[in-house]
Amino acid sequence: MASKGWVPNYHGAWAMIIVPPFVGTILSSFHLEHLLLLAVWWIGYFAFFSTGLWLRSRRKPRYRTPVIVYGALTALAGLPLAILVPELLIWVPVFLPLIVITFFQSLRRKDRSLINNTVTVVAAGLLTPVAFHLATVLGTVPTGRFGWEAWEWMWLATASITAYFIGTAFYVKTNIRERGNEGFFWLAVAYHAVFAAAATVLAVMGVVPILHALVWWVVTFRTWAVATYSRKIDRRVSPKAIGMWEVVTTLAMTGSLLI
């Protein structure tokens, strides 16, 4: 079944489709309409995966059924949400070009490229402000943090989460597809170090928790250490091991923003 496009096999994507809407909801407040938003988002992810697979297969008929089924279910979930919270439709033109880009990459069979990874992570990260926006539309006025206005803090959290997941793409590629690529290795380390340094500056200024900066330095060290260890023992780290540790660092990164 999975081979025919029914079940996504991008295991690292599960955290990306769960964490952003969760953070957006926690930073605002929960409403029952959030359940509809989650249904649209999660079913939509299955539709997104199956459509990408269908496009990569040069639109072979055996991959078409999941596209139709998941597409219809996404529309069915999206219609009541659009009726109840029509203000959220303002996000459609924001997501549309991202969807077009990633489907174009699928047509070119470049779905695992860094460009495509970045586009899909940005789309996932944007569920943080979407979930936050839903609460504000329904009358909930969240409070800011660290002296920031609510929307300002939410955008800062969105940027950090999105940057972290983009860094995850760098980290995974360093240990799998780009293993042994010295230039890519240092690019991945430098990417994390830049955000760790920025988080440190913000922590010193009192803008973000110190714990958040510490987590960034931990994932920076992890990026350097795992790839270095893999080269030293001349053996690739298993995707399963990478994924298990990613769960830990994702929880730490998320918790450091919500503490």
Side-chain angles (χ1 to χ4, degrees):
M1 182 178 290
S3 64
K4 294 184 179 180
W6 289 99
V7 181
N9 60 358
Y10 295 159
H11 304 299
W14 293 109
M16 287 189 287
I17 67 171
I18 293 173
V19 170
F22 171 78
V23 172
T25 302
I26 294 298
L27 291 180
S28 54
S29 63
F30 173 74
H31 296 268
L32 288 177
E33 286 81 357
H34 276 109
L35 297 179
L36 275 175
L37 176 64
L38 290 177
V40 173
W41 176 238
W42 289 342
I43 298 173
Y45 170 66
F46 278 70
F48 166 81
F49 169 80
S50 60
T51 302
L53 183 60
W54 177 62
L55 292 173
R56 291 194 302 277
S57 72
R58 298 293 187 263
R59 298 182 291 280
K60 291 181 180 177
R62 69 173 180 269
Y63 295 110
R64 187 185 303 150
T65 302
V67 177
I68 297 172
V69 172
Y70 287 139
L73 290 175
T74 302
L76 286 174
L79 182 60
L81 181 64
I83 294 173
L84 292 170
V85 196
E87 291 85 351
L88 293 184
L89 292 175
I90 196 175
W91 292 99
V92 172
V94 176
F95 282 89
L96 190 58
L98 301 177
I99 295 172
V100 170
I101 291 172
T102 193
F103 282 165
F104 178 70
Q105 291 292 306
S106 292
L107 274 172
R108 298 176 60 213
R109 298 188 177 182
K110 299 287 186 179
D111 57 298
R112 293 185 183 272
S113 68
L114 191 58
I115 292 176
N116 194 58
N117 289 153
T118 301
V119 169
T120 53
V121 169
V122 169
L126 285 173
L127 255 289
T128 303
V130 171
F132 189 93
H133 185 199
L134 187 152
T136 62
V137 168
L138 296 178
T140 300
V141 181
T143 57
R145 302 187 180 203
F146 296 89
W148 285 53
E149 295 295 331
W151 273 98
E152 292 173 341
W153 173 251
M154 183 281 304
W155 281 116
L156 183 64
T158 299
S160 189
I161 291 171
T162 304
Y164 165 72
F165 281 124
I166 291 175
T168 295
F170 275 103
Y171 169 63
V172 171
K173 287 184 181 298
T174 298
N175 289 285
I176 299 180
R177 289 178 175 266
E178 298 293 338
R179 181 174 178 268
N181 185 332
E182 189 75 12
F184 194 89
F185 164 72
W186 286 112
L187 176 62
V189 173
Y191 173 90
H192 285 86
V194 167
F195 281 97
T200 301
V201 172
L202 293 176
V204 171
M205 295 171 60
V207 175
V208 299
I210 294 177
L211 178 60
H212 186 61
L214 290 176
V215 173
W216 265 109
W217 283 114
V218 168
V219 296
T220 300
F221 175 76
R222 170 216 61 183
T223 303
W224 172 83
V226 173
T228 300
Y229 174 74
S230 175
R231 288 185 297 178
K232 183 177 181 180
I233 65 174
D234 195 25
R235 189 170 69 239
R236 192 181 75 172
V237 179
S238 71
K240 181 179 179 180
I242 292 174
M244 289 175 63
W245 280 108
E246 278 302 293
V247 172
V248 176
T249 54
T250 299
L251 290 174
M253 185 65 70
T254 305
S256 69
L257 285 169
L258 299 178
I259 191 171

